[in-house]
Amino acid sequence: MTRLSSYLLPTEKQAPADAEAISHKLMVRAGLIRQLGAGLWTYLPAGWKIHRKVEQIIREEMDAIGGQELLMPLLNPAEPWRRTGRIEIDEIFKLEDRKGTEMVLAMTHEEIVTTHVAQVVRSYRDLPQILYQIQVKERDEPRPRAGVLRTREFRMKDAYSFDRDEAGLDESYAKHIVAYDRIFDRSGVEWYRVQSDVGMMGGTDAHEYMAPCAAGEDEVALAPGYAANLEVASADAQAVELPAPLPQPVEEHTPGCTTVEDVSRRLGVAPGAVLKAFPVIAEGRGLVLVLVRGDHRVNEVKLRNVLRANVRPATADEFATKIGPAGFIGPVGANAPILLDEAVGDGGYVTGANRADFHLRGVEPGRDFPFERADVRFVEPGDSVGGQPLRIESAIEIGNIFKLGTRYSEALGAHYLDESGRQRAIVMGCYGIGPARIVAAAVEQHHDEAGIAWPRAIAPFDVELVVIARGETEERTFADRLYEELREQGLDVLYDDRDAGPGEKFADAELLGAPLRVTVGKRTLAGGELEIQLRRGRERRSLPLDGAAVAVAELWRTLP
RNA sequence: CGGGGCGUGGCGCAGCCUGGUAGCGCGCUCGCUUUGGGAGCGAGAGGUCCCGGGUUCGAAUCCCGGCGCCCCGACCA
């Protein structure tokens, strides 16, 4: 029974002054969410309905691949977090109980689920397992932002797979791909599954699910048949025109030219014909000189993965003696290993001369300096993959899947005995989805100047029924009956029975964004036709009064 | 963590510079009128001006300290 006259749906004409993201503005204006503090949001009834619809889709698809739902405490003893070393993470909320025992608020549940599995699983016969929950997570984010997109408390579907070996993990991983593809398809958002960084934590494979939209915090590189997080994306660079080769490097006076732009202009060569020198300190390895084309940028995530070590830019002091003065450094004569980006083709380049106010022309990799080659640059729009042009879009990360391996099982003693009686570590995967981000992404992707246009599957209501009449009138009697008939058709109907004018009702209906609006007024009864508005595109249609409820239900089933 | 901005009825804002009755629009309550795209008239309710301290006869306003929130960047296991 959802009559708007008695339903808590506080809509606003004006967005909160401090809101920036569209989903933030519209979700507040539509009466779905209210803020309590930085990164802390209450879901009001209609907003919570949407969230629950998304959760239900997730449940159904997780169950379909054999996932078993459980529930683990949010409040955790610190001990398992200490055993995996993650107690050190700044984002973890830490507290003490009255006895002074250290506790943490879980930001995810690898430690806890693995602790239980370690206690319970003994034999290879107990594996594999897929366990999941939909539970609150707490993260002390340095900067919560954009409404519900990045919060300090949020619900997350987190799943964990436990397998006998890598082959088993591959199967569990593949199952999650099936489930996730279906979840995001059913939710009605546009999404891409992209390769992502596995990080330094021993993971072997990882993908993220990305929903393109302006408010996104991530960037994805997309080409037909290719999708990757910008952090790890690879592509073929556009060719660059190089000057004619020289028999040996020639020094040029370039006073004050410390940027690629300065140098390329002064020497009259394309920025891509200059080599950008980027000295870094690799943990446990020391100074490395990274070279990329002047029109490219060094990607520190790829660099870290290539060097298998944490990397930071070197300071001028750290490279002054081994290489040269800041602003004029280059590979020729550098006393440091050189990593040359794969996009640097054969030919003569301009590089720093390792002498203040001078550059070298005609420097050829190999002939003039030794190097190792690696792919360490960011891809750029206009690069290509398999001959197809690459584009870069911002996106919201709505899910991720990750092959963990044995990092947690080893730290927490999750072992089993195999067929030959040998003790082995359980091989794990973890799989997350943020339902709130699906909701926000749906708003970002599906809205217009009037408000939200929900995908049918996650809309707060299937139909909003608007009656234009006050008091006991013929229209209202008709609308009351139609309301019941629509409900009998299985539709979830919001009935705007308020004593308000038509303009206000229409505006609120379009703001809230149910896929269909049905209007009953004088005009309806006089004309013998019911007016229907499809929210997407605000297209209007008419249906005969006779059998209207059935026709509305049929129309609803055809919507995206 | 670096940079910037903002805290005044439910929402959006003015007032602050130059100290002296807290104001506007929307919303809310009551009455009458109005009813197919955010109505009209009239009468009302509602504010510790973020908090603490200081200056002053007097502080929303000036000074000091704190807190909160937002945006950009860094970070995001």
Side-chain angles (χ1 to χ4, degrees):
Chain A
M1 195 67 166
T2 313
R3 288 172 179 266
L4 196 43
S5 59
S6 56
Y7 188 66
L8 187 68
L9 187 73
T11 56
E12 297 286 347
K13 275 192 195 176
Q14 284 165 306
D18 50 22
E20 206 63 35
I22 285 164
S23 54
H24 180 185
K25 291 179 185 170
L26 286 179
M27 288 176 73
V28 172
R29 285 192 52 212
L32 307 179
I33 55 172
R34 281 283 154 124
Q35 183 169 26
L36 182 64
L40 299 174
W41 290 88
T42 293
Y43 285 82
L44 298 175
W48 187 235
K49 280 189 80 178
I50 297 163
H51 199 288
R52 274 167 40 217
K53 286 192 177 182
V54 173
E55 288 183 7
Q56 187 54 30
I57 292 172
I58 295 171
R59 274 199 180 90
E60 288 169 12
E61 297 301 335
M62 288 304 298
D63 291 347
I65 60 165
Q68 304 163 76
E69 186 171 0
L70 48 60
L71 184 66
M72 293 176 273
L74 171 62
L75 180 63
N76 294 182
E79 170 55 22
W81 291 84
R82 204 170 282 119
R83 287 176 71 177
T84 60
R86 294 212 296 179
I87 189 80
E88 302 299 332
I89 296 175
D90 291 334
E91 277 74 21
I92 297 183
F93 281 103
K94 302 172 184 82
L95 66 160
E96 286 183 0
D97 69 11
R98 56 171 39 178
K99 287 182 276 185
T101 305
E102 261 193 273
M103 311 290 285
V104 311
L105 298 179
M107 59 186 298
T108 171
H109 279 82
E110 280 83 2
E111 277 79 0
I112 308 310
V113 74
T114 308
T115 297
H116 290 309
V117 167
Q119 292 163 347
V120 164
V121 168
R122 291 274 121 83
S123 156
Y124 69 93
R125 291 189 193 89
D126 301 327
L127 297 172
Q129 296 286 345
I130 294 174
L131 302 171
Y132 78 96
Q133 64 175 349
I134 298 174
Q135 168 63 310
V136 167
K137 304 292 181 235
E138 303 286 342
R139 297 187 182 178
D140 194 358
E141 291 285 349
R143 180 151 106 80
R145 62 174 290 272
V148 119
L149 264 188
R150 183 162 214 89
T151 56
R152 295 195 292 176
E153 174 175 302
F154 60 99
R155 283 167 76 95
M156 177 179 180
K157 188 286 297 178
D158 46 322
Y160 307 91
S161 66
F162 301 87
D163 281 282
R164 300 172 187 176
D165 50 30
E166 290 291 335
L169 172 58
D170 290 346
E171 276 180 48
S172 295
Y173 196 80
K175 283 183 184 174
H176 279 85
I177 287 180
V178 170
Y180 274 41
D181 287 3
R182 286 189 51 83
I183 287 165
F184 299 120
D185 275 344
R186 286 183 59 186
S187 299
V189 292
E190 182 196 353
W191 59 273
Y192 296 92
R193 181 177 63 244
V194 305
Q195 294 168 11
S196 68
D197 183 34
V198 295
M200 294 296 290
M201 292 306 180
T204 52
D205 199 4
H207 289 82
E208 289 160 340
Y209 284 78
M210 294 287 195
C213 69
E217 298 183 295
D218 289 278
E219 289 187 295
V220 292
L222 301 170
Y226 181 80
N229 191 309
L230 191 66
E231 289 180 342
V232 298
S234 289
D236 301 321
Q238 285 182 302
V240 65
E241 194 184 331
L242 294 175
L246 299 173
Q248 62 184 48
V250 175
E251 212 166 55
E252 296 277 358
H253 191 44
T254 52
C257 296
T258 56
T259 67
V260 167
E261 199 182 309
D262 295 340
V263 173
S264 80
R265 194 166 5 181
R266 178 161 182 109
L267 299 183
V269 298
V274 179
L275 289 186
K276 193 187 283 180
F278 187 69
V280 298
I281 303 291
E283 210 171 85
R285 237 183 110 149
L287 188 62
V288 175
L289 185 60
V290 180
L291 294 177
V292 299
R293 258 168 48 178
D295 57 343
H296 290 156
R297 293 169 300 144
V298 173
N299 179 330
E300 292 188 40
V301 171
K302 288 166 80 171
L303 188 57
R304 184 190 71 197
N305 290 338
V306 164
L307 295 174
R308 300 182 172 286
N310 280 321
V311 170
R312 64 169 172 83
T315 62
D317 289 346
E318 286 170 324
F319 62 76
T321 53
K322 287 188 162 181
I323 303 177
F328 299 93
I329 61 175
V332 179
N335 180 22
I338 291 169
L339 200 56
L340 185 68
D341 183 65
E342 278 173 2
V344 180
D346 291 338
Y349 289 85
V350 172
T351 75
N354 293 325
R355 181 182 161 203
D357 293 335
F358 285 93
H359 278 79
L360 296 176
R361 214 189 249 288
V363 174
E364 294 192 11
R367 185 191 70 183
D368 300 321
F369 63 91
F371 63 86
E372 272 182 68
R373 229 183 234 290
D375 175 13
V376 293
R377 72 176 180 103
F378 279 110
V379 298
E380 302 283 346
D383 289 354
S384 57
V385 175
Q388 304 271 15
L390 186 87
R391 67 184 195 279
I392 294 172
E393 290 186 21
S394 60
I396 299 176
E397 181 185 347
I398 49 178
N400 65 68
I401 54 179
F402 198 101
K403 292 184 183 175
L404 287 172
T406 56
R407 161 161 203 248
Y408 291 93
S409 47
E410 279 170 6
L412 296 162
H415 303 292
Y416 71 97
L417 293 181
D418 69 12
E419 289 97 322
S420 57
R422 200 165 45 126
Q423 178 170 289
R424 301 178 63 170
I426 298 173
V427 182
M428 292 175 56
C430 68
Y431 315 88
I433 292 181
R437 286 187 169 185
I438 296 179
V439 174
V443 176
E444 293 282 340
Q445 292 178 352
H446 301 292
H447 68 272
D448 58 24
E449 64 285 352
I452 307 171
W454 292 104
R456 186 183 67 156
I458 65 173
F461 296 93
D462 299 332
V463 176
E464 180 151 346
L465 173 61
V466 172
V467 60
I468 300 170
R470 276 183 195 167
E472 293 302 314
T473 59
E474 203 186 342
E475 296 88 60
R476 191 163 284 257
T477 307
F478 181 87
D480 285 352
R481 198 171 70 233
L482 182 60
Y483 176 49
E484 295 304 331
E485 288 171 3
L486 289 168
R487 282 156 51 91
E488 281 162 22
Q489 290 299 313
L491 292 171
D492 187 4
V493 184
L494 178 62
Y495 180 17
D496 190 348
D497 61 339
R498 294 175 300 175
D499 273 345
E504 190 177 346
K505 292 189 176 191
F506 292 149
D508 274 351
E510 284 161 10
L511 181 58
L512 182 62
L516 287 180
R517 187 185 81 202
V518 175
T519 308
V520 173
K522 272 203 196 94
R523 223 193 255 171
T524 312
L525 300 188
E529 292 202 315
L530 203 56
E531 182 190 304
I532 313 291
Q533 187 206 51
L534 280 62
R535 181 61 187 82
R536 294 258 175 105
R538 293 200 268 178
E539 177 198 339
R540 292 190 187 199
R541 293 195 194 170
S542 293
L543 290 174
L545 292 184
D546 203 29
V550 173
V552 168
E554 273 170 15
L555 176 58
W556 180 81
R557 280 191 284 273
T558 67
L559 297 175

